[in-house]
Structures are given as C-alpha cells and as structure tokens.
Amino acid sequence: MATRPPVGLPKLSRRSRILLIVGVVLLFGLITGSRLLDTYVNWLWFGEVNFRNVYSTVLLTRLGLFLAVGVVVGGIVALNLYLAYRARPVFVPVSGPDDPVARYRTVVMRRMRLFAIGIPVFVGLIAGASAQADWQQIQLFLNSQPFGITDPQFGHDIGFYAFKLPFYEWLLSWLFIVTAVSFIGAVIAHYLFGGIRLAGRGGQLSGPARLHLALVAGSFVLLKAVAYFFDRYELLLHENEKFVGASYTDLNAVLPAKLILLCIAVFCAIAFFAGAFMRNVQLPAIATVLLVLSSVLVGAAWPAVLEQFSVKPNAIQKEAQSITRNIEATRQSFGLTDDKVSTKPYEGKQTVTNDQIKTNDAATLGNIRLLDPAVLSRTFTQFTQLRPFYGFPNKLDVDRYKVDEKLRDYIVAVRELKLDSLPQGQRDWINQHLIYTHGNGFVYAEANKVNADADQTNGGYPDFKTGEVAPDGSIRNAENGIKVDQPRTYYGELFGASDYSIVGGRPTGSAAEYDTDAKSYTYTGSGGVPVGNLINKLAFAAYYGERNILFNQSIADDSKILFKRTPRDRVQAVAPWLTVDSDPYPAVVNGRITWIVDGYTTLDNYPYAQRTPLSDATNDSLTADGVVVSQINKPVNYIRNSVKATVDAYDGSVNLFAIDEKDPVLKAWMGVFPGTVKPASDISNELRSHFRYPEDLFKVQRQILSKYHVQSPSDFYSGVSYWAPPQDPTIDNVTTAQAQQDAANKRRDAQPPFYVLAGDPTDASKVRFQLTSPLVRENREFMASYVSVGSDPDNYGKINVLQLNTDAKGPQQIQTQFLTSDNVSRELNLLTQQKTTVVYGNLLTLPVGGALLYVEPVYIERASNNTSYPQLSKVLVWYGDRVGYASTLSEALEQVLSGTGSVVPPQSNNNNNGNGQTSTPPSTTPPANASLSPDLQKAINDIDSALADIKKAQQNSDFTALGQAYQKLDDASKRFKQYNTGAPSAPSTAPTSPTPSG
C-alpha cells in the first residue's frame, strides 16, 4: 500500500503574495507612522525648551539597547537553531504515514530561510522592545558615583548597590532568558529533525543532540551559580516582618547556604559539561537531583529550622544588630540624620504667664493663618474670576512676601484659563484654540486677615489683591503690594493634556486673543513650536487629528503652537529621571509669575533601609478628596529633594537648579545629561526666598520619623513608642448632625501638613516660614510630638522635633472638645437649622508658651442664593484646657488667655474610650452640705445615665445613639445648672456629635 506524501502549507498565488506584502507594509506603516510622528513632535517640543539633548540621549540609549539586546538574544537563538540543524541525523526514521513531525519537517525544509531568519528576528524584536525600557539602569551604571558610605556587612560602597548591582542582575536575567529560550528552541529543533525521538521505550536521543542540550543546560546551571553569588547582596534588601535588611537567620543560615549552593551549582555545571563529552546522561541527572535537594535542605529547611527554634524565641536579642543597622541606614537614606534633625523635649504644659505669652510668642500669635487654601478656591472664584472661562485650582497655595518691609504669608493663586467652563455655545475650535489662549492675573490675600469682622454681612472674606491688565495696559493693584510685570499666564495647572493654543503672527483682520478688558493681544513670548510652515502644519494636524490647523487663515508664518502646558508635565518631560512633587506653586520672581516645582531623586535598593510606597506615604485627606494629585505608587527607600525646577507662566521656559549638589544620584544623572541642571550658584536670592520645603518629601519623612525616632533596638522591635500622623479631624460641608456623623465614619485619612509663618521652635522671637505637622501616638490620639521644617534660606531643610512625654490632647480630641463645647454646639445647631453649611478649615497646631495652641477657622456657606462659597464666620481656639470661640482671632485668643473661655474638665483615664477620645461631662458636684431637691437629683441621675449611654455608643460605634446621648446630656446639664445655681434654663439644643477618632 502506497504511503501518502506529507502535505505542506498551500502555495500562495502571485496576487495573494502581493496583497499580503502590501498588507504587511500598511500595518507596519500604521504602527511606525504614529511613533515617527510622536518622535518628530517631541523633537520640536524639546527644541523649544532647549532640552533636546535629553530627548536625543534617551532616544539613542533606547535604540542602542533595542539593537544590542535584540541582536545578542536573536543571535544566540539563531546559533542554537543552526547547531541543532547541523546536528540532525543523516537518515531520519519515519514512524508511520501519520507521523505529524514529518509533516512539519517538510514545511520547515521548504521555507528554511524564512524560519531560520524569521524566528531569531522575531525573538530579537521582542527582547529588544522589552529591554529598551530599562535605559535608566544602563545609564546609571555607566555614570555611577560613590556615596562615601559602606554597607556594614560586605563593606561595599552604597553606590555599588544603587548603580552597579541592578545592572549586573539585569544582565544576568537576560542571560537566563536567552539560555532558556535557546534550550527550548534547541529541543524543538532536535525533535523536528530527528535528533530526539519519542518512539520506542524511553525514547532516543542522538549523540550530537545530547552534547548540544547538555552544554546549554550546563550553561544555565553555571548562570545559577553566578546568581547565588549576587543573591548574597540581595539579603541586605530583604523585607522582614519588623524591618528591612539581613536578619539573624539571613546572616547565619541563608548567607552560608548561598555560598554552599554556589559551589554545588559550579560542580553540577561541570557535571553537565563532563556528561556531554563522556556521553553519560547519568552525571547531569545526578547533578540536577543534587542541586534540587541542596536547594531544599540547605537553602530552605535549615534557615526555617534556625528561625523557628532559635530566632523567634529570642528575637529581640538575635535581631538587635540587624535592627540597629536598619535604623541607621533608614535615617541616612531619608535625610533624617542627627545633623538634620534636632529633637528636644517639650512640656506640653503652659510654663509662662499669659502676659509673657503675648510678648514672647508675638511672632506666632501675630501671624496665625485664618485662610485655608484647600477651602477658599470657590471664594476666590466668586470674587476674582472676572470671566466664566477663568478659574483657580481646587487647592490654592501659601507663600510669603515682604511687603512694606514686613514679612507676611499670603494665599496665592494664578487666574488661569479654564476651557471646560466656556459656555456650550462658544466651544468651537476657533474659540478654544485661537481666541481663549491664556489666563490673566496673580491673585493674593494676606493669610491672617479678612476684609471685615466676620459677623458683618459682607465680611469674613479674603482681602483680595490682584495684579492684572487694565484696558490701558497698566497693572492693577500692584503699586502697594506684589508687583507683577507680566500677569498673562499661558502655562498653568488647569490645562489638560489636549489643550493647545495657536498664538502670535496673526494676519490683519484675523481674530485676536482675548485679554480680559483689553481689546486684543498678540503673544510675544519665546515659548511655543513654530507651526507656520507646511511640514509642521501637516504634522500637528495629524497629531491632533484636526484639519483646521491646515486651513485656518489666522495661522500665519510666525504663528506658534503651545502644548504640554502644565508645569508638572513640562518638568517631568525634560527630567524623566526625577519624581516630581504633586503640588507646584506660583511665585512672583522679578516681576514674572513663575511656577516652582520640586523634583526628587529616589532609589529602592539602599541596603538595610526601610522601603515605603510613595503614594501611601504621601496620601492624606486632600489627595483622598482629589484636591491634590496623588503620587505614583512606587516603593522608595532613598529620597532627596535635589532639584528645584521653575516654569515661566508666560513663555513656558524650564530651568532645573541643583539644591543638593552632594547627592550621588543627582551627580549620576548630571553625568547622563550634562548641562541640563544648573548649579546652586545660579539661583537668584529672590527665587530662593520663595523656596518651600516640599510637602511630599515632608510627608514621607514624617511617616519614617514616626518609627525611626526610636533608637533602641528592643523598643523598635516592640513598637510601643511608635508615632503616627493624626487623622484629619475636620469634616467639610456639615449640614446636619447625622451628615457629620456619616462623614466622620468615612474619613480615616491623614491630616496634611501645613505651611505657617510662626516663631522658630528653637527661638520663638524669630519669624520663620515653616512646614508643620503634629504626630500622635500610634493607635491613640494623644500628642506625641510636633514636627516642623524650615523653608527660609538660612534654615532650609532643618527639621525640629518637639517631643512630648505627657498625654497632651491631639487634633482629633481637640476637635471633639470644640464641637461639644456649649456655646459652639449651640450656635452650630442654629446654623444647621437655618440650612447653612458649616465648613471647618485646617486645624493648626502651634507651640506657644510651653504648651500647644490649636486654631481652627470655621467657614459658612449661606443658602440664601444659588451661588455658595465659604465665608469666615468664627474662629475656634484651644489653649490651657479652655476653648475660645469668637468672630475674630484676637477675641478668641483673648478668651483663652484671659480665662474667660469655656473650661474643659481635666482629662481622666476613666473617661478614655480606648481610641484617644475623651468624654468631657460638666461637673455634677453640688455645693457642700446642700440638700438636693428632687429636680436637681433627677438632673444628676440623667447626667450619669447620659454618660453611660455615651460610653456605650462610643464602644459600639453607634453614631445615631451617640448623637441622642449627647442631646440627653445637654438637656440634663442645663437643668442641673438651673437647679444648682438658679440660672434660667436656656432652650434645649442638641450639640453636634464629636468627630470620632480611628
């Protein structure tokens, strides 16, 4: 019976081949065409900002990696396929007419060139495309810098771990990949060409195939030996339950095991090579079994036994050395060394008289900020928006200026273009991209003042001052304040990714740019990419998919297109190696509005240093509410604010300045991109005077400091002395007691740090602009410390920690005291009955007179009209167990300092509800030897009953019952006062329920 010839792939006709080739070319053009267009547009943009060398360096590095890795990986795979083909048997036994291998063998043989070239090219393309994303590791290796600090275990400079070890491990991983792919390809090729046959008992393996596969497998095992060598260094980055770094088990079991396994792996690799030439399959098999058993017994079992029976029962003693190393490395890597952090004890109790406080702490008391930048954006919009297409960010900024020879802090904002606020009928292409092109004006208000007493109808609003263009071209309201020479803003935070404007070079009679009250304006700045020539018109028309760019007659030869217009995007683009701060802020420098953006150099491989996810460490109530952009969630264990970047709001020019020129990571990147970062000596004094210590860095440092202020290994291990950022005690948009309870139930986000102009913690007489935050005891709400960091040029980055050893009330407890105070709760309930929304501003914590002063502005939003915006109504102050509540800050301060404020009963452990919150019942002690009337006795009994209900509701987290219990307590307290003092009873009002703590 004749055998059926093997069937190959059907042969394509000439027409089909042509159509297939055309389709492939079109697909390739679509894929590469968009890439080429992006490359051209980016090339133009980087040329605009004078950072083209950055783009070319990144582009060439990526291209070089793509080619190098692609050629090496593809070449090694091709070599192994070629060797497998050359080693094929001369005569290949056929197992039968239905042998599937014979069928595929025929297909491959007919198109040998296609498979021999196509497979390695395909593998190389995938490998190159994957490898080119790792350009930063390669450049850091080539430009590595020493830290001048050695690790305590191996004695290597930290630069080895930061720059060199990642490259070695990257290279090793690619060698593993290419060896594994080559082995798989060789097995398939040998099987296809008959070197490996599965027919018969146990199958058959030809001599050449055995030699080839054994050599490849031996190479893989030899690479594993190299991996064991580098695994020793990874132990210093091992994340343990309590700390990061090599633990006792790692040092005494895992580290020796790595060396033993290294030797065994070398022996096994030799066995593979020997077996290949001796034609002995048993040697590689025995070597493989030995390696696997050694990995289980030496690499896993022995460390587990040591950990379980020796380390865990004596963990504090065993891990002491490793914890000490972890503490030292972490404080170093996060910039919390003793020369940068000053810690001193703080009583937390008033140590001077009230008159002395007014004198000694005048720098703090005279500059307490009443305006909350996270609350007042809508108020700024209502009073200074001018046109519906202008707007302000959700969070305004705080900065300081010297006006009339006096340093003051201001709430500052740029009146930006907000295209999504254009009326629907005006959202055509011409209006959005040719007419409405820029914002106009720098708006500011003194942070500790409002325009009139808060109880007046038109008072309680910021005293706005602006720098904007009048119809005659002059600048309004700048003669007695902050002088702005160029108020027009073409670059700002409110521009979206697709917001572009075409400006300048308008022909006569064409539409002009809108410029507030001015009739017309034409952009004259240096920013923007020329778009007048045909090539660029075609490029941007394709880039944005907009044919109007080609045919609109307002676009002349001198026209420019402005895009990539947010400060963060511009800085991130020119410095892709930086982590950019989430909150740029505007400052007027030499008469020009300048965006200042902080840039961080980071690592995640600093030995023994604690890792922290950047997003988790920087998230707080503002990021949770979307007021501030969240950071990317990448782990870091080294961070430095090494660069300050500026973006001109008019022409978009970007400048990078080095402010930590000793940072080895910055030095490495300056080696990669020479000339892109200017030295610190180029920073003008005026620009430096507006530098703020960045919030994101401070949030990371306060989180690290919460644990790593502990220096004792035993205390660190036990965790009893840990701190934590407090939960944000303020609740926005409170309209009813139940709404407040619901909001409090949901809010568990950290309180953000606050910028204040106050007395220096080390010298209260000096006025300092500083970033501050309280820290509470972990899982409790009592104050643990007060942390501040300087932002002035002479003390920039100096962190001061005032450590409290007493159980002083924390922000959450103070908020509870505010809301349960008689006069506060009474008025707030009256406001809610009038359907007035109450908004609590930032609760500031300030060290004053040896104790802590808390100040919180209270805003209202009246429901009398459709437009609602916050207005300062009252000011809450807490000091010395007294609550002040008045229309002005001075009155509220006088209440607590003169002794006329509401008295808060002393805190008792019996009243602690377990989460740091304390109940504050009124005193129910009757006059001595008084005979109690039935009504007075009933009031006392009702107070006791209400207190029991409060405690029960707090334990059960039943906020409805808690509000009812406080209502009952308030009624009983008033009846007690009436019957005990003879005072007339006030109408019963339910106090607002306290904000629950965590």
Side-chain angles (χ1 to χ4, degrees):
M1 183 176 179
T3 59
R4 185 174 60 187
V7 180
L9 293 175
K11 187 174 182 180
L12 297 176
S13 66
R14 185 171 182 273
R15 180 182 180 185
S16 299
R17 288 199 300 270
I18 293 174
L19 290 176
L20 180 61
I21 293 172
V22 171
V24 171
V25 170
L26 288 176
L27 180 62
F28 180 78
L30 289 173
I31 295 173
T32 60
S34 62
R35 292 292 183 90
L36 292 174
L37 180 61
D38 288 345
T39 301
Y40 179 68
V41 169
N42 284 327
W43 182 261
L44 294 174
W45 184 86
F46 277 92
E48 171 209 341
V49 293
N50 296 318
F51 280 86
R52 190 166 282 169
N53 64 321
V54 172
Y55 189 59
S56 61
T57 300
V58 174
L59 201 62
L60 291 174
T61 306
R62 285 178 177 270
L63 181 61
L65 270 178
F66 175 82
L67 293 175
V69 175
V71 168
V72 170
V73 172
I76 293 176
V77 171
L79 176 63
N80 281 276
L81 293 178
Y82 173 74
L83 293 175
Y85 175 74
R86 287 294 302 270
R88 71 190 186 283
V90 177
F91 300 102
V92 180
V94 178
S95 60
D98 297 323
D99 180 12
V101 176
R103 179 180 183 181
Y104 291 114
R105 184 186 306 119
T106 303
V107 172
V108 172
M109 294 298 292
R110 286 182 177 179
R111 294 176 174 83
M112 179 60 71
R113 182 173 298 179
L114 175 64
F115 285 98
I117 297 176
I119 292 176
V121 168
F122 177 73
V123 172
L125 288 174
I126 294 177
S130 176
Q132 57 89 27
D134 299 321
W135 66 272
Q136 293 194 0
Q137 286 186 357
I138 308 305
Q139 285 289 8
L140 284 177
F141 171 76
L142 296 175
N143 295 274
S144 60
Q145 300 287 327
F147 276 65
I149 303 171
T150 57
D151 79 87
Q153 181 61 35
F154 299 106
H156 291 302
D157 187 271
I158 302 300
F160 169 79
Y161 299 92
F163 307 126
K164 296 180 180 180
L165 183 61
F167 171 76
Y168 296 146
E169 292 178 333
W170 175 85
L171 186 61
L172 187 62
S173 67
W174 276 110
L175 291 176
F176 270 121
I177 290 171
V178 70
T179 305
V181 172
S182 297
F183 184 82
I184 294 171
V187 168
I188 295 173
H190 283 298
Y191 177 65
L192 190 65
F193 292 114
I196 299 175
R197 295 191 297 275
L198 301 181
R201 185 177 180 181
Q204 296 181 4
L205 183 66
S206 69
R210 180 173 58 248
L211 174 64
H212 183 199
L213 296 179
L215 290 175
V216 176
S219 299
F220 189 90
V221 175
L222 191 60
L223 289 174
K224 185 62 180 175
V226 178
Y228 282 130
F229 178 80
F230 287 113
D231 284 348
R232 299 178 308 136
Y233 301 122
E234 286 295 328
L235 294 177
L236 306 192
L237 301 170
H238 181 205
E239 294 193 21
N240 299 283
E241 182 181 356
K242 298 285 187 178
F243 60 92
V244 169
S247 65
Y248 181 88
T249 301
D250 292 331
L251 296 176
N252 294 277
V254 179
L255 182 58
K258 295 292 183 184
L259 293 174
I260 294 172
L261 291 173
L262 186 157
C263 297
I264 294 174
V266 172
F267 172 77
C268 292
I270 295 173
F272 270 92
F273 297 146
F277 291 101
M278 295 172 62
R279 299 183 179 182
N280 187 339
V281 182
Q282 293 180 346
L283 279 177
I286 294 172
T288 302
V289 173
L290 176 62
L291 185 61
V292 172
L293 286 177
S294 301
S295 299
V296 173
L297 296 176
V298 179
W302 164 238
V305 170
L306 180 66
E307 176 74 16
Q308 186 66 36
F309 295 102
S310 178
V311 176
K312 285 189 176 181
N314 309 283
I316 294 180
Q317 293 78 20
K318 296 286 188 181
E319 304 290 14
Q321 182 190 51
S322 298
I323 291 175
T324 300
R325 292 176 174 181
N326 171 244
I327 293 172
E328 292 176 355
T330 302
R331 291 177 67 93
Q332 171 66 39
S333 65
F334 285 95
L336 297 173
T337 51
D338 292 339
D339 61 321
K340 296 181 179 179
V341 179
S342 174
T343 302
K344 68 177 185 178
Y346 193 70
E347 286 290 332
K349 296 180 180 179
Q350 185 174 347
T351 56
V352 295
T353 65
N354 290 333
D355 290 337
Q356 289 174 322
I357 289 174
K358 295 177 183 179
T359 301
N360 299 342
D361 293 283
T364 297
L365 299 179
N367 291 284
I368 294 176
R369 178 162 54 80
L370 297 177
L371 304 184
D372 185 348
V375 170
L376 292 174
S377 177
R378 284 180 291 125
T379 306
F380 269 57
T381 300
Q382 174 66 25
F383 285 96
T384 65
Q385 183 183 25
L386 297 185
R387 297 292 183 270
F389 43 81
Y390 291 139
F392 299 95
N394 291 329
K395 177 182 175 294
L396 309 179
D397 290 291
V398 183
D399 199 2
R400 71 287 197 197
Y401 291 84
K402 202 167 188 177
V403 178
D404 298 331
E405 300 303 317
K406 183 179 180 182
L407 188 67
R408 299 183 176 95
D409 56 341
Y410 291 87
I411 305 299
V412 299
V414 174
R415 187 188 294 111
E416 299 186 47
L417 182 66
K418 193 174 183 181
L419 285 173
D420 57 4
S421 296
L422 274 173
Q424 195 65 38
Q426 298 181 27
R427 295 187 182 182
D428 57 82
W429 183 85
I430 293 178
N431 278 341
Q432 289 185 304
H433 300 288
L434 296 179
I435 306 299
Y436 301 111
T437 60
H438 61 279
N440 200 316
F442 182 79
V443 183
Y444 57 99
E446 197 166 345
N448 65 339
K449 291 182 180 179
V450 289
N451 61 350
D453 292 341
D455 56 354
Q456 296 181 7
T457 304
N458 296 320
Y461 298 113
D463 187 9
F464 294 104
K465 296 184 183 297
T466 62
E468 64 202 33
V469 178
D472 60 0
S474 62
I475 308 299
R476 291 173 171 159
N477 301 331
E479 61 277 1
N480 296 321
I482 302 170
K483 181 174 176 56
V484 182
D485 296 330
Q486 180 51 270
R488 299 176 182 87
T489 57
Y490 285 82
Y491 299 88
E493 293 183 279
L494 297 185
F495 288 108
S498 60
D499 288 340
Y500 64 91
S501 293
I502 300 176
V503 299
R506 301 289 171 87
T508 304
S510 63
E513 300 175 48
Y514 180 84
D515 195 51
T516 60
D517 296 332
K519 294 182 179 179
S520 64
Y521 182 75
T522 300
Y523 180 72
T524 60
S526 60
V529 173
V531 73
N533 61 73
L534 180 60
I535 294 177
N536 285 2
K537 280 186 179 180
L538 286 169
F540 284 102
Y543 186 75
Y544 288 108
E546 181 54 67
R547 65 177 181 274
N548 285 321
I549 296 177
L550 279 174
F551 303 114
N552 188 280
Q553 296 181 356
S554 296
I555 304 174
D557 293 342
D558 295 330
S559 296
K560 296 179 177 181
I561 184 169
L562 311 180
F563 61 103
K564 204 171 288 187
R565 302 172 73 179
T566 64
R568 290 188 80 240
D569 288 347
R570 293 178 80 79
V571 173
Q572 189 67 80
V574 302
W577 43 277
L578 283 176
T579 299
V580 180
D581 190 82
S582 58
D583 188 22
Y585 62 98
V588 177
V589 181
N590 298 321
R592 297 180 70 90
I593 300 174
T594 303
W595 293 99
I596 299 177
V597 187
D598 287 282
Y600 309 117
T601 52
T602 61
L603 296 172
D604 64 354
N605 51 1
Y606 195 102
Y608 275 105
Q610 181 70 35
R611 285 193 185 95
T612 181
L614 195 57
S615 177
D616 294 348
T618 56
N619 280 348
D620 54 30
S621 59
L622 296 182
T623 57
D625 293 340
V627 178
V628 176
V629 178
S630 294
Q631 277 286 359
I632 56 175
N633 201 27
K634 67 174 184 179
V636 298
N637 67 353
Y638 174 93
I639 186 169
R640 291 290 187 273
N641 176 212
S642 299
V643 173
K644 294 282 188 181
T646 62
V647 178
D648 190 282
Y650 183 71
D651 62 29
S653 58
V654 181
N655 288 290
L656 306 177
F657 298 99
I659 63 167
D660 186 358
E661 295 177 308
K662 296 180 180 180
D663 176 24
V665 184
L666 176 61
K667 289 180 181 179
W669 285 118
M670 291 174 70
V672 179
F673 304 110
T676 57
V677 181
K678 298 180 179 180
S681 58
D682 286 2
I683 302 174
S684 67
N685 291 333
E686 185 169 358
L687 174 59
R688 192 181 293 275
S689 68
H690 290 288
F691 284 169
R692 307 186 317 189
Y693 197 79
E695 291 180 76
D696 284 349
L697 175 59
F698 184 69
K699 292 176 189 177
V700 172
Q701 288 179 322
R702 75 173 178 178
Q703 184 185 73
I704 295 298
L705 195 62
S706 296
K707 288 178 62 176
Y708 286 89
H709 69 280
V710 180
Q711 302 285 346
S712 167
S714 59
D715 290 345
F716 185 92
Y717 190 90
S718 63
V720 294
S721 301
Y722 288 170
W723 303 338
Q727 296 171 7
D728 193 337
T730 59
I731 303 173
D732 295 342
N733 302 326
V734 179
T735 54
T736 65
Q738 185 60 46
Q740 178 183 316
Q741 292 164 8
D742 294 340
N745 233 354
K746 297 176 182 177
R747 172 154 298 181
R748 291 295 181 269
D749 305 300
Q751 184 185 44
F754 300 121
Y755 289 103
V756 298
L757 190 65
D760 191 308
T762 61
D763 186 353
S765 64
K766 292 182 179 179
V767 180
R768 296 290 193 183
F769 188 72
Q770 49 197 295
L771 184 59
T772 66
S773 175
L775 291 174
V776 298
R777 305 191 189 283
E778 190 175 52
N779 298 323
R780 301 183 72 195
E781 292 299 335
F782 291 106
M783 279 287 293
S785 65
Y786 172 85
V787 183
S788 65
V789 59
S791 291
D792 295 332
D794 61 337
N795 73 335
Y796 186 89
K798 298 294 183 181
I799 299 175
N800 289 288
V801 180
L802 303 181
Q803 187 168 348
L804 287 80
N805 295 319
T806 57
D807 282 342
K809 291 185 176 71
Q812 189 76 53
Q813 296 168 317
I814 296 302
Q815 185 74 3
T816 300
Q817 302 291 356
F818 282 157
L819 299 182
T820 56
S821 178
D822 256 359
N823 56 338
V824 178
S825 62
R826 185 182 303 113
E827 180 164 332
L828 292 180
N829 276 292
L830 289 175
L831 289 173
T832 56
Q833 291 170 13
Q834 298 168 4
K835 297 183 179 181
T836 298
T837 301
V838 178
V839 179
Y840 298 102
N842 41 211
L843 177 57
L844 300 179
T845 306
L846 299 166
V848 170
L852 293 174
L853 171 72
Y854 289 89
V855 180
E856 179 177 277
V858 179
Y859 302 91
I860 59 172
E861 296 185 26
R862 302 184 186 279
S864 57
N865 52 50
N866 294 328
T867 304
S868 180
Y869 45 90
Q871 169 191 13
L872 182 66
S873 173
K874 297 289 184 181
V875 180
L876 283 163
V877 175
W878 188 93
Y879 187 77
D881 289 333
R882 291 185 180 273
V883 173
Y885 184 61
S887 300
T888 65
L889 174 62
S890 58
E891 292 174 356
L893 283 172
E894 188 61 30
Q895 288 178 8
V896 296
L897 294 179
S898 64
T900 60
S902 300
V903 178
V904 179
Q907 168 173 294
S908 168
N909 291 334
N910 293 332
N911 291 333
N912 192 317
N913 62 25
N915 59 6
Q917 204 172 283
T918 55
S919 57
T920 55
S923 173
T924 57
T925 304
N929 301 323
S931 61
L932 301 181
S933 67
D935 291 332
L936 180 58
Q937 184 62 57
K938 186 176 186 305
I940 294 174
N941 294 339
D942 288 344
I943 288 175
D944 292 337
S945 175
L947 291 175
D949 291 344
I950 289 173
K951 183 176 180 181
K952 181 179 178 181
Q954 289 173 337
Q955 291 173 343
N956 297 331
S957 297
D958 188 341
F959 296 107
T960 301
L962 184 63
Q964 295 171 351
Y966 272 105
Q967 171 72 57
K968 181 178 177 181
L969 176 63
D970 185 62
D971 292 340
S973 300
K974 288 179 174 59
R975 286 188 284 111
F976 172 80
K977 292 179 181 178
Q978 175 188 6
Y979 298 128
N980 195 30
T981 63
S985 176
S988 174
T989 57
T992 308
S993 306
T995 306
S997 66

